[in-house]
Amino acid sequence: MLQTLITSIFLLIILGSSKKLDLEEEIEPESDTILDGMGDLDDVDDLDDLSLDEEPSGNQVLQSTSKRVRMIFSVMASPNRIDILRILNSKGPLTYSELKSLAGFKSKKESGKFAYHLRKLLRQSLVALNKSERRYTITNLGKLVLSLARQIEERSIIESGKMYVRTSHDSIEEFNSQKIIQSLVREGSLPLELAQKITEEVENRIYKYQTAYLTGSLIRELVNSVLLEHGHEEYRHKLARVGLPTFEVQEMITNTENVDSGIEGLLFKTGQIVFAEHLLTSTLPKDIADAHLAGDLHITNLGLWSILPDAVFINVKTLIEDGIDLKGKSLGICRIPSVKTLDHLSSALSMIIALISKEASQEVVMDDLIPLLSKYSKDLPELERKLVDSFTTSFTSIGYNKTSTVVSFRIPLGTEQKIVKTILSAYKTYATLTPIPKIGLVIDYEKGRITDVSEILSKIITLGGKVVFAKHSISQKGIICPENTASTALHLGSLSINLPRLAFESNKDETYFRARLALLMKPALDSMALRNKSVSNLIRLAVNPILAANTQYMERATVSLVINLVGLHNAVYGILGFKNNKEGQEILYKVIETAVNIASKKGKELGINVIITMTESDGSERFISLDGEKYGKNKVQEITSGLLNPDSTKEHTSLAISTETYSQGIVLDIGKISGLTGKSAEITECNKIGKTLNGGLLTRITIPKGTKTSEIKKVIEKGVNITSSFKPVMQVSICGNCGFKDEKLDDKCPTCKSTYII
């Protein structure tokens, strides 16, 4: 490589030998004091290069190539001149004053010295002056010389016999074994004597291997290897490096089509992998980390688990009316001191949706939107336009995951009917314009008539709008916000328990099954208490500025730990062997009661609210895959099929059981719902489970693609009469190529003709 670079220099010199060199290169006017510094020879880097530079003046042909090379090497002998080349290479064209300042020549006394060095570079064509712009630039020859100097420096280090380390903070330092000792004591908590012993062995191996590139990561690998050989696995665990292998990084860059949201999505994904590995190796207790990896339980959003809450219930009126004040955080975001006009409200609402969505990993539920808008009720058409603007501009920034955080507004019926309809109309426009909406609605029908809004809500559902119905404040996942809480409530969950796995390990003994559930819940809740400390500390440090301001740095906030039960019906009916009748249902309730009782006792012990839910989880398919490997795929398929109980009573046929995942909450069949009443067996079971759970039950009504709005309207009106909460779910086809959305979209997009339909 060095030979190639030197050859390249010779070629450049030969090519330029036919040109005339003006030895009196123009220097900026400020350099007229060049002679000021020439009297002090101590300021000159080397006297030899002065004699080498004594060339006859006038338009004479350059001297021989060999002398040119010697002169160029004399230029390289000066650290000051190398610095000037490095500055121009990294900063680009600079004026005389800028270059002088960056090179460290700041006083008037040093003007002559700087001009001298610059003239040397100009004469050897390593730097050029653009006279029209009065800026200096590094030439191609200068870049080549700079590269050669860097490689000579690195090679000289290697040839010197000393060991040098390429550190993780972008520097090359001489190997110092004391730094290994310090790291072992500081990071690994090793006793000093043991740290010295391990370091001595590592040092011997380093000198034995004589590696060309000694890096910080390589030293850490050697240290960890020695620790393992000596039986110090716990110390090695503390010193492990978290991150990605070079191959995986390259694969991620190569396969960027699998990464959403461009470069930011790539960075988010990489960061979350690191935090996920840190959680499993250094934060979670080993038994819980092993339980997750084995499939006994599942933690969603591993990379965000110790950083963000899952769901936040917050008052939007409080957030906006006092203006947006982020204190010293997010200095690139505009501050809105107060909201006095509809324009201010539109901007503030858009900003607050975008900002608060970054402070929860799954969902934010906002209350009091109607009181916030009531003062603008005189001009409802304009209010609707402003709401559409707020909704459509709020999510231009990316989310943390493919399933981005949903921001939902709770809309209580029965008050301010005109404003309610304005909000729904604005949301309908937003859902029409957005392929996959990230804003949702929580329709509280406890005090209002659903028939007043069921028609527009049915149209919103056909557009893929996210709507959930309830008689209380819940999230899109059906998780309840506890009553009489502070203005801001945080839910820390994302932990689901694999009930079929526990049933498989219980030998069809229902009592042992519930005992195993209790044994798993206790350490799981201990780990979630650790999570609470981590998330709360970050909020106190204002890493989440909105939550920090509105919880008074966690002085005024309600926190709940949430455990989700997955596969309850599969465990009881498919594995424990109970039939889907009254006796089997009693077992269902006993399992839930066991979980709620353990949660209550553990919550009192930890001093925090603990709730149990049955809702959807992204871990269900993972559970099935792992259980299939352990117990046999055919056996698991039997459990998830609708034929798991041939002797089941016919009255339960409207309860849909998924054939692809374990049961998650309750799923009602739209084909049967019209014939149900509040006293029907399925609805009785649904309502009783909902009352037994203290955290919420997700009841989904699946709506087939292409269902007419009139049919959906009937489903909505029926649902509010027989359940306390439910969520209509309808698949809406979207063109993955252009984003076109229509309920009639089939195999081919009518807009772009693409067959990529999602």
Side-chain angles (χ1 to χ4, degrees):
M1 177 62 76
L2 290 177
Q3 183 63 39
T4 302
L5 286 169
I6 294 172
T7 303
S8 300
I9 292 177
F10 272 101
L11 287 172
L12 282 171
I13 292 170
I14 292 168
L15 287 171
S17 62
S18 61
K19 297 181 180 179
K20 302 294 184 180
L21 179 65
D22 182 3
L23 298 181
E24 298 299 327
E25 286 281 0
E26 180 180 344
I27 302 294
E28 292 281 346
E30 295 127 296
S31 67
D32 290 341
T33 56
I34 187 170
L35 295 177
D36 294 345
M38 293 297 290
D40 187 0
L41 291 180
D42 290 336
D43 289 339
V44 181
D45 297 280
D46 51 301
L47 295 178
D48 290 339
D49 66 359
L50 280 174
S51 61
L52 282 169
D53 200 34
E54 291 173 357
E55 299 177 75
S57 59
N59 295 326
Q60 295 181 3
V61 178
L62 290 173
Q63 297 183 18
S64 69
T65 300
S66 60
K67 186 171 183 181
R68 286 289 311 278
V69 172
R70 284 189 289 119
M71 293 171 68
I72 288 174
F73 273 101
S74 75
V75 171
M76 292 172 63
S78 165
N80 285 319
R81 293 194 283 273
I82 293 293
D83 283 344
I84 291 172
L85 289 177
R86 284 174 177 161
I87 291 167
L88 288 174
N89 191 48
S90 62
K91 299 290 185 181
L94 295 170
T95 65
Y96 181 90
S97 299
E98 290 169 344
L99 183 56
K100 176 184 171 186
S101 176
L102 288 171
F105 298 89
K106 295 182 179 179
S107 66
K108 277 196 172 183
K109 276 188 173 183
E110 296 177 306
S111 296
K113 190 197 299 186
F114 172 70
Y116 165 74
H117 289 306
L118 185 57
R119 187 182 294 270
K120 295 281 288 183
L121 294 168
L122 286 165
R123 283 180 172 173
Q124 301 308 320
S125 301
L126 304 182
V127 170
L129 170 65
N130 186 322
K131 295 184 179 180
S132 61
E133 295 182 3
R134 301 177 71 81
R135 288 179 180 273
Y136 294 89
T137 59
I138 185 171
T139 63
N140 288 333
L141 180 60
K143 291 178 181 178
L144 197 59
V145 166
L146 191 60
S147 176
L148 179 62
R150 183 165 54 247
Q151 294 199 38
I152 289 174
E153 180 182 10
E154 290 186 9
R155 179 55 59 182
S156 67
I157 287 173
I158 295 170
E159 297 296 333
S160 67
K162 295 180 180 180
M163 297 295 292
Y164 284 81
V165 182
R166 294 172 179 245
T167 71
S168 57
H169 46 271
D170 301 328
S171 66
I172 297 179
E173 299 175 1
E174 187 174 349
F175 173 71
N176 184 351
S177 61
Q178 286 299 315
K179 291 190 176 182
I180 299 179
I181 296 174
Q182 292 168 8
S183 179
L184 290 173
V185 174
R186 184 181 65 254
E187 298 178 34
S189 303
L190 273 74
L192 179 59
E193 186 177 349
L194 177 59
Q196 291 171 336
K197 180 181 177 182
I198 296 296
T199 300
E200 183 178 353
E201 186 165 341
V202 169
E203 188 174 8
N204 289 336
R205 293 190 184 187
I206 287 173
Y207 282 110
K208 176 183 176 182
Y209 296 148
Q210 294 185 339
T211 177
Y213 294 103
L214 187 60
T215 64
S217 61
L218 177 58
I219 293 174
R220 187 175 292 267
E221 288 175 21
L222 290 171
V223 168
N224 288 337
S225 176
V226 173
L227 285 170
L228 281 177
E229 289 174 15
H230 287 266
H232 301 299
E233 185 177 351
E234 289 186 8
Y235 291 136
R236 179 262 164 203
H237 193 67
K238 291 181 180 180
L239 290 161
R241 179 187 288 270
V242 294
L244 289 168
T246 303
F247 175 79
E248 288 188 22
V249 174
Q250 186 58 47
E251 283 288 293
M252 195 179 296
I253 295 171
T254 304
N255 301 315
T256 49
E257 69 274 9
N258 298 323
V259 178
D260 290 345
S261 307
I263 297 301
E264 288 185 68
L266 188 65
L267 294 174
F268 276 135
K269 183 177 180 180
T270 306
Q272 287 190 43
I273 290 171
V274 172
F275 280 111
E277 189 175 344
H278 178 260
L279 176 72
L280 291 174
T281 57
S282 303
T283 305
L284 284 177
K286 186 176 184 299
D287 55 345
I288 295 300
D290 290 345
H292 167 78
L293 295 171
D296 295 340
L297 55 82
H298 175 78
I299 297 174
T300 301
N301 294 330
L302 284 167
L304 301 174
W305 207 69
S306 295
I307 301 174
L308 293 175
D310 301 308
V312 174
F313 292 82
I314 200 165
N315 191 300
V316 67
K317 188 170 182 288
T318 304
L319 284 177
I320 288 181
E321 279 194 333
D322 298 333
I324 297 177
D325 182 8
L326 302 176
K327 305 298 182 183
K329 301 293 182 178
S330 302
L331 299 179
I333 296 176
C334 295
R335 269 50 176 170
I336 298 181
S338 62
V339 176
K340 296 180 180 179
T341 67
L342 189 54
D343 286 336
H344 289 163
L345 174 68
S346 177
S347 300
L349 184 59
S350 176
M351 286 177 61
I352 209 67
I353 292 172
L355 291 171
I356 196 65
S357 69
K358 299 294 185 186
E359 301 192 11
S361 64
Q362 293 184 15
E363 184 174 4
V364 178
V365 181
M366 293 194 180
D367 208 351
D368 279 357
L369 178 63
I370 292 175
L372 176 67
L373 303 178
S374 60
K375 65 175 69 175
Y376 306 102
S377 60
K378 292 181 181 179
D379 190 355
L380 292 177
E382 183 63 17
L383 175 60
E384 182 179 335
R385 284 192 290 272
K386 293 299 181 183
L387 283 175
V388 172
D389 289 344
S390 297
F391 293 161
T392 53
T393 59
S394 58
F395 274 108
T396 53
S397 59
I398 71 167
Y400 296 118
N401 302 292
K402 286 185 177 180
T403 53
S404 301
T405 302
V406 176
V407 176
S408 297
F409 291 97
R410 177 173 167 265
I411 311 296
L413 304 181
T415 59
E416 301 282 358
Q417 194 67 15
K418 290 182 179 179
I419 293 183
V420 169
K421 290 184 176 180
T422 299
I423 294 171
L424 297 183
S425 181
Y427 185 85
K428 178 174 172 288
T429 303
Y430 160 75
T432 303
L433 297 171
T434 311
I436 301 179
K438 297 181 183 179
I439 296 175
L441 298 175
V442 178
I443 305 298
D444 186 340
Y445 55 89
E446 184 178 15
K447 297 179 181 179
R449 294 186 307 174
I450 196 67
T451 52
D452 293 337
V453 294
S454 57
E455 185 173 351
I456 188 171
L457 286 170
S458 64
K459 292 178 181 176
I460 287 171
I461 290 168
T462 63
L463 293 168
K466 300 181 185 298
V467 186
V468 63
F469 298 82
K471 291 182 178 179
H472 39 258
S473 181
I474 67 172
S475 73
Q476 291 285 330
K477 288 179 174 283
I479 301 175
I480 297 172
C481 177
E483 295 181 0
N484 304 318
T485 61
S487 60
T488 303
L490 311 181
H491 280 42
L492 306 178
S494 293
L495 190 147
S496 299
I497 293 180
N498 184 356
L499 294 180
R501 169 68 65 88
L502 299 183
F504 274 125
E505 300 292 329
S506 299
N507 298 319
K508 295 192 175 182
D509 185 331
E510 173 265 327
T511 303
Y512 185 39
F513 168 70
R514 289 189 289 116
R516 288 182 63 86
L517 173 60
L519 287 172
L520 181 58
M521 281 183 60
K522 291 176 181 178
L525 287 169
D526 285 333
S527 68
M528 293 175 75
L530 294 175
R531 180 193 181 192
N532 177 41
K533 289 181 181 179
S534 175
V535 172
S536 297
N537 285 337
L538 289 175
I539 294 174
R540 290 189 186 99
L541 294 170
V543 175
N544 302 320
I546 301 293
L547 291 179
N550 286 273
T551 61
Q552 297 296 307
Y553 298 92
M554 293 305 291
E555 294 296 325
R556 292 190 299 109
T558 300
V559 179
S560 298
L561 306 183
V562 186
I563 284 193
N564 183 42
L565 303 180
V566 170
L568 177 60
H569 291 83
N570 307 103
V572 173
Y573 299 147
I575 303 172
L576 296 180
F578 291 92
K579 296 179 181 179
N580 190 355
N581 54 21
K582 186 175 181 180
E583 182 188 4
Q585 290 171 29
E586 289 300 322
I587 298 300
L588 285 179
Y589 305 145
K590 284 176 69 175
V591 173
I592 296 172
E593 287 169 359
T594 298
V596 172
N597 290 336
I598 294 297
S600 178
K601 291 177 183 178
K602 193 65 179 177
K604 289 178 181 178
E605 178 187 322
L606 297 172
I608 192 169
N609 185 44
V610 181
I611 60 179
I612 305 298
T613 67
M614 284 175 57
T615 184
E616 61 185 350
S617 166
D618 67 342
S620 181
E621 292 183 9
R622 177 172 171 265
F623 286 157
I624 286 182
S625 175
L626 293 173
D627 288 350
E629 292 175 6
K630 190 168 185 178
Y631 306 107
K633 292 183 179 179
N634 291 336
K635 196 170 185 179
V636 171
Q637 190 173 3
E638 280 181 24
I639 295 163
T640 57
S641 71
L643 301 175
L644 52 87
N645 276 300
D647 299 327
S648 298
T649 56
K650 294 181 180 179
E651 61 184 353
H652 294 85
T653 54
S654 65
L655 182 65
I657 299 177
S658 172
T659 58
E660 298 178 354
T661 62
Y662 287 146
S663 60
Q664 305 173 72
I666 297 292
V667 181
L668 297 175
D669 183 6
I670 188 176
K672 303 288 185 179
I673 197 169
S674 60
L676 299 177
T677 67
K679 295 182 180 180
S680 298
E682 298 89 337
I683 302 303
T684 301
E685 177 186 347
C686 180
N687 289 336
K688 188 167 182 178
I689 290 176
K691 289 179 180 178
T692 308
L693 290 164
N694 62 346
L697 169 70
L698 178 62
T699 302
R700 286 172 289 179
I701 301 177
T702 56
I703 302 173
K705 178 184 173 182
T707 303
K708 295 180 180 179
T709 55
S710 58
E711 292 298 317
I712 298 174
K713 182 175 183 293
K714 291 177 183 178
V715 169
I716 293 172
E717 293 172 357
K718 185 71 173 183
V720 300
N721 289 324
I722 60 177
T723 66
S724 59
S725 68
F726 66 97
K727 182 176 182 178
V729 179
M730 181 177 180
Q731 294 293 333
V732 178
S733 298
I734 302 168
C735 175
N737 184 53
C738 69
F740 176 79
K741 177 174 65 174
D742 189 271
E743 64 270 21
K744 298 178 182 178
L745 186 62
D746 200 5
D747 298 330
K748 194 173 184 180
C749 176
T751 302
C752 68
K753 310 304 179 185
S754 172
T755 56
Y756 178 36
I757 308 299
I758 56 177

